[in-house]
Amino acid sequence: MEVVLQNLTKIFPSRDRKNREDVVAVSDFSFTIPDGELIGLLGPSGCGKSTTLNLISGLQKPTSGRIFFGEDDVTDLPPENRGVGLVFQNYALYPHLTVKQNILFPLQNLKGKDKLSKEEMGKKAYEAAKLVQIDELMDRKPGQLSGGQQQRVAIARALVKIPRVLLLDEPLSNLDARLRLQTREEIRRIQRETKITTIFVTHDQEEAMSISDRIVVMKDGVAHQIGKPQDVYDDPRNLFVAKFLGTPPINVFDGQVRDERLYIGEDAVLDMKGLSEREVYVGIRPEGFLLQENGPMCCKLSRVEVMGRDISVVAENKASLNPAIRAIIGTENNVNMQQGMVRFALVPRKVLLFDKETEERIKF
Ligand code: ADP
Ligand code: MG
């Protein structure tokens, strides 16, 4: 099911007497979600992710804008008539019901021609349970399950009616690190199998990058960039998006372009043919540093962390906006701690420039 968001805006009126400013939770958000894709809605806490999801599900009404599921304008439909499956961070299962009863609960309210027999309901509940691999646990109560298993029950319950759109709001936040990894792969598998258009909300960039066909990076109610995870990582539109994606994060420096060269401090680190003189922010991805004896960029070496797969070089530079610079280099490198200094050459496509005023990307 294709989902179209058209100039979607949600404003919450201020309740605070002293501060009468309204909260613009979602601002003029337009986006067509292609049928069958998994979209990661990503941004810091308070940026409007849950509100966006609630507008799509119908739990909240937009201040303006429209929502379409395929040809259907669902903007004025109540949630129960939209055909959405919802999963939240806290699994919200009925504690006194068994797994099976929890899963088939949404089927019990079906009326008229949609009404199902007890056998049909049981069969559908079993199919949904099998999809999330909890079909062995059907007679347990939620209290007898691990967090990961409870979240699977919640997902099965959202899937049992075969929704047109599946909406997941930080579904992994209550799980420990290992389960989070495992469950996100499960969600990806289930989504691939069912081909249900899915919107997955998270503040965790790695989570969004790893399972999404496309990500939407939000801030202050505004969708800053939409695209394939790798494209957004390689080609961020502004400094916020560049800083939000990637672990370790991008290293940011004060820089200048002069004489067609890029300067960080006194070091001329790259040629910049055709760019006029200006002050810039320079973003360098951790993998953009190459250890090189006569490299143009000189930094004070703080320490070296051996990670097994690669080496983290932690260093300092006066022009850096972060207290420490982090460079990731291959294990074939030999870092000489004695000298106290380290020199790098830079990989041009891993170096990103941003306007000092607008923080928009400057292409070179
Ligand atoms: P996120 O899910 O990204 O953390 P939310 O969508 O929950 O963000 O919230 C976006 C903004 O809208 C926040 O500033 C939040 O305080 C505000 N907000 C959310 N719900 C309400 C509400 N019911 N009334 C007033 N303000 C709200
Ligand atoms: Mg939220």
Side-chain angles (χ1 to χ4, degrees):
M1 177 66 53
E2 179 185 88
V3 176
V4 180
L5 312 181
Q6 219 172 61
N7 307 103
L8 212 53
T9 297
K10 178 68 177 178
I11 299 170
F12 293 108
S14 163
R15 286 202 216 104
D16 189 343
R17 278 189 190 190
K18 284 194 197 118
N19 178 6
R20 289 195 172 270
E21 246 175 72
D22 295 343
V23 177
V24 184
V26 179
S27 174
D28 197 24
F29 188 2
S30 294
F31 179 34
T32 298
I33 301 168
D35 179 33
E37 283 205 359
L38 193 161
I39 301 300
L41 194 52
L42 175 66
S45 174
C47 73
K49 305 182 295 294
S50 295
T51 306
T52 304
L53 220 59
N54 293 343
L55 294 175
I56 298 170
S57 71
L59 293 174
Q60 287 174 334
K61 285 250 166 277
T63 309
S64 59
R66 316 278 329 156
I67 302 164
F68 297 85
F69 288 0
E71 301 286 292
D72 258 0
D73 185 339
V74 301
T75 318
D76 300 316
L77 281 186
E80 60 274 19
N81 297 346
R82 291 193 184 192
V84 293
L86 282 171
V87 179
F88 299 101
Q89 174 177 350
N90 50 351
Y91 330 115
L93 301 175
Y94 301 106
H96 58 288
L97 299 182
T98 63
V99 167
K100 183 174 173 186
Q101 289 165 333
N102 264 288
I103 296 173
L104 55 76
F105 191 84
L107 300 176
Q108 289 173 325
N109 301 319
L110 296 175
K111 306 238 162 53
K113 64 172 174 49
D114 295 331
K115 200 167 161 54
L116 297 175
S117 71
K118 218 170 164 191
E119 279 94 75
E120 285 170 319
M121 284 197 272
K123 188 162 168 282
K124 280 185 185 277
Y126 178 75
E127 280 166 8
K130 199 161 163 50
L131 194 61
V132 300
Q133 297 174 341
I134 45 161
D135 44 310
E136 315 258 289
L137 309 171
M138 292 295 254
D139 298 320
R140 293 213 200 158
K141 298 267 174 73
Q144 297 166 310
L145 300 177
S146 70
Q149 290 167 334
Q150 290 187 48
Q151 194 55 301
R152 282 162 195 256
V153 178
I155 295 168
R157 189 176 57 184
L159 289 172
V160 72
K161 268 170 102 177
I162 320 230
R164 299 202 280 178
V165 181
L166 180 63
L167 304 173
L168 306 156
D169 194 348
E170 311 237 9
L172 310 180
S173 300
N174 281 0
L175 307 181
D176 66 47
R178 255 188 71 173
L179 257 179
R180 221 160 42 223
L181 211 71
Q182 198 186 338
T183 314
R184 85 182 188 207
E185 280 159 18
E186 280 289 277
I187 288 175
R188 187 51 172 162
R189 177 186 61 78
I190 293 161
Q191 197 273 332
R192 284 239 162 93
E193 274 180 47
T194 59
K195 300 194 176 65
I196 297 173
T197 307
T198 299
I199 304 170
F200 181 101
V201 162
T202 177
H203 61 269
D204 181 335
Q205 57 90 25
E206 195 188 326
E207 206 166 276
M209 300 266 287
S210 63
I211 67 165
S212 307
D213 293 307
R214 248 171 262 247
I215 54 171
V216 179
V217 185
M218 275 187 97
K219 184 192 172 199
D220 299 337
V222 176
H224 277 242
Q225 195 163 352
I226 300 174
K228 293 190 179 138
Q230 190 69 51
D231 293 346
V232 180
Y233 179 84
D234 289 336
D235 202 8
R237 188 180 289 167
N238 57 38
L239 185 60
F240 168 74
V241 175
K243 279 159 84 171
F244 203 75
L245 298 185
T247 43
I250 194 163
N251 300 283
V252 185
F253 302 84
D254 281 320
Q256 295 92 32
V257 178
R258 58 176 196 263
D259 311 327
E260 302 206 309
R261 293 161 112 190
L262 174 65
Y263 282 85
I264 293 177
E266 290 311 307
D267 299 331
V269 294
L270 276 185
D271 284 339
M272 284 287 138
K273 286 269 175 295
L275 268 199
S276 57
E277 230 170 88
R278 70 186 87 187
E279 301 279 310
V280 289
Y281 288 122
V282 185
I284 307 175
R285 293 283 182 202
E287 67 275 22
F289 295 93
L290 301 173
L291 201 65
Q292 203 173 80
E293 221 170 300
N294 301 314
M297 186 167 176
C298 185
C299 300
K300 184 164 169 256
L301 183 60
S302 306
R303 62 183 187 280
V304 172
E305 294 170 2
V306 179
M307 314 298 283
R309 189 190 48 189
D310 39 39
I311 299 171
S312 256
V313 179
V314 184
E316 283 173 44
N317 183 296
K318 280 207 183 81
S320 172
L321 300 186
N322 320 70
I325 307 163
R326 202 169 268 272
I328 306 282
I329 59 172
T331 49
E332 71 282 3
N333 288 286
N334 212 340
V335 186
N336 183 351
M337 284 300 293
Q338 249 82 58
Q339 293 174 350
M341 300 303 278
V342 62
R343 285 185 162 274
F344 296 110
L346 303 178
V347 183
R349 66 183 187 86
K350 294 290 179 182
V351 179
L352 308 171
L353 301 189
F354 302 91
D355 186 277
K356 269 260 161 105
E357 301 278 304
T358 62
E359 303 195 351
E360 295 290 311
R361 178 85 175 282
I362 303 167
K363 303 250 181 158
F364 62 87

